[in-house]
Each structure stands twice: as C-alpha cells, then as structure tokens.
Amino acid sequence: MIEIKSENELKLISEAGKIVKLILEELKAAARPGVTTADLEQKAVEIIKKFSARSAFQGYRGFPGVICTSLNEQVVHGIPGNTRLSSGDILSIDVGVEKNGYYADSALTIPIGDKVSSSALSLIDITEKALYLGIEKAVEGNRLFDISNAIQKLTESHGYGVVREFVGHGIGKNLHEDPEIPNFGRQATGPRLKNGMVLAIEPMINEGGYEIEILSDGWTAVTKDRKLSAHFEHTIAITNEGPKILT
Ligand code: MG
Ligand code: MG
C-alpha cells in the first residue's frame, strides 16, 4: 500500500531532507584528490550529530557505513574506508537520515579533480537529467511507471544500461516503503499517483551493460563489465503544486 502523508508528515520529512541536502553539499565541496572516503564519512557523522539526527543506513540490515560512497565502476552501497580519491575518479555519495521519526534519502555523483573523461562527465550529466525528467512525471493522475519510463528512455537513448536489481522507493516513517520504483518500465502503467505520496526516485545508470555483481564484502555493487556507473536521487513529494523536491 502506498501511504498518503499528511501536511505535518511532509514537514517532518522535509526537515530530514534539509539535513541530507546540507551533508551532500558539504561532502561535494570536500571530495577532492587525496581525501579518503572515510574522511567524507567523518564529516557526515559530525553534521548528523550537530542536528541530532541519525544515519538511515548504518545498521540497516547490518550495513557498516554512515553513508555510501561508490567509486567509478561501483554502482551503489560502497562502504567508506581508506580508499583515497584520485583525479579522474567519479564518486557517488548516498546519504539518508532519520530525524524525529521521519526519513529522507538523496544521492549524487561528482567528478574528482580535473582529469575526468568527457564520457564520464556525460554519464553523470545524463543520469542527473534522467532524475529530473522522472521527477517531472511525479504528478497526481500520472502512473508510477511514467517516472520509470522517462528515466529509461533518456538513458537508453545514450546507449547506457539501466540497473535492474536496485530501484527507487516510497519513504516516510521508514527508509523503504511501497512502492518500488524501477528505473525502467512501460508508460501509462503502474499505480495511479496521488498527492501526498513521497517517493525517493533514484536512477542508477551504467556506461555499459546493465548487469551488476556484488563484491565479497556483501554490499558493494559493481558493474559486471567494470565500466562506470552514476547515481542521482531525490526524495520528492507529489503535491497539488506539482512535484516538490524535499532534499
Ligand atoms: Mg539513497
Ligand atoms: Mg534510496
């Protein structure tokens, strides 16, 4: 069942969303060659503490990190550690927090240093554009897979692979609620969208094939062909003024 959130719940989710947004902005500014993914995590820890919030990821099914940091061919769920960023890398950062019982979730992919290839920059650019195209479809009366289809159409037109195993999701009192939001699907199908639904829309797009594998740490998802992958995510609410980004 897809929950309809009250005005007050939207306010609470957007409070969590503001913290997520701030963390991503700070980490984006801090992520440069020589910095480790553990350094970035430490910054996130400090901000989460300052706002008396809680990481949505740490401990979730045993995930060890406070945030997810996924480098180059890593798709999602990379664990922060001693890996040092180099010029030419692309880094996906995924942040989720809970504040006063409500969750928000957002991710972005950024180029590190000035040696990132133009093909990697295009992958980042198109994945972000696909997110915003999907968000535009999140209006009352549309169907859920209108969002999925918009993301799939744009990214596949560039020859990219749309990850199948991981999907977006409803969000609110839990990090993951109904519905599942695949990044592929047929237009004009799926549940009817209604005002008050809150969705985390998150295209995970591969430069090559869509197949992925999980590394031996049990978490890190990588592209099977080891080509690059990008990830963008926002938590949004469907409102009578259209889609509202809460992160
Ligand atoms: Mg996320
Ligand atoms: Mg998510």
Side-chain angles (χ1 to χ4, degrees):
M1 199 202 70
I2 309 176
E3 254 189 50
I4 303 296
K5 270 75 177 180
S6 68
E7 281 295 321
N8 187 50
E9 287 183 297
L10 292 187
K11 223 181 89 200
L12 288 163
I13 297 167
S14 104
E15 277 166 25
K18 280 181 195 149
I19 302 168
V20 169
K21 179 173 192 252
L22 180 75
I23 294 169
L24 281 172
E25 281 168 357
E26 293 279 324
L27 299 189
K28 189 177 172 181
R32 50 176 184 273
V35 167
T36 69
T37 50
D39 294 336
L40 298 178
E41 177 172 66
Q42 189 48 40
K43 272 195 182 298
V45 167
E46 285 160 20
I47 300 168
I48 288 170
K49 193 174 167 206
K50 189 169 119 193
F51 285 92
S52 307
R54 191 178 64 82
S55 163
F57 301 161
Q58 192 170 39
Y60 184 89
R61 296 186 184 162
F63 185 76
V66 169
I67 58 172
C68 300
T69 51
S70 307
L71 205 59
N72 299 324
E73 76 279 5
Q74 298 177 356
V75 179
V76 286
H77 305 159
I79 302 165
N82 298 327
T83 310
R84 223 167 263 288
L85 302 178
S86 303
S87 186
D89 286 339
I90 67 169
L91 176 68
S92 299
I93 308 172
D94 195 346
V95 174
V97 307
E98 175 260 316
K99 169 85 182 168
N100 295 324
Y102 284 83
Y103 288 80
D105 189 8
S106 182
L108 48 72
T109 301
I110 51 172
I112 304 297
D114 53 11
K115 293 201 182 95
V116 177
S117 68
S118 60
S119 59
L121 293 174
S122 298
L123 174 69
I124 292 173
D125 180 52
I126 297 302
T127 304
E128 185 173 26
K129 282 202 173 96
L131 169 62
Y132 284 98
L133 276 183
I135 291 172
E136 273 177 34
K137 300 288 181 188
V139 293
E140 178 158 281
N142 272 359
R143 300 291 194 103
L144 183 68
F145 302 147
D146 289 332
I147 298 171
S148 315
N149 184 261
I151 292 168
Q152 181 177 24
K153 238 195 310 206
L154 177 71
T155 53
E156 287 187 348
S157 77
H158 288 266
Y160 298 146
V162 176
V163 171
R164 300 307 202 248
E165 283 86 346
F166 300 109
V167 296
H169 48 94
I171 183 166
K173 284 195 281 287
N174 302 285
L175 176 62
H176 295 130
E177 298 183 353
D178 285 343
E180 291 195 344
I181 312 168
N183 294 299
F184 55 93
R186 269 178 53 209
Q187 216 171 333
T189 64
R192 187 83 62 188
L193 298 177
K194 293 196 181 112
N195 289 337
M197 289 179 177
V198 178
L199 308 174
I201 302 173
E202 50 177 319
M204 288 150 270
I205 305 300
N206 298 346
E207 190 184 21
Y210 63 76
E211 299 93 342
I212 62 153
E213 294 174 348
I214 307 294
L215 296 185
S216 59
D217 62 18
W219 280 104
T220 311
V222 297
T223 56
K224 196 171 178 199
D225 57 17
R226 300 302 191 265
K227 290 187 177 173
L228 298 174
S229 189
H231 180 206
F232 280 85
E233 176 179 29
H234 272 308
T235 295
I236 66 107
I238 301 175
T239 77
N240 49 22
E241 284 124 48
K244 190 172 172 211
I245 296 174
L246 305 178
T247 43

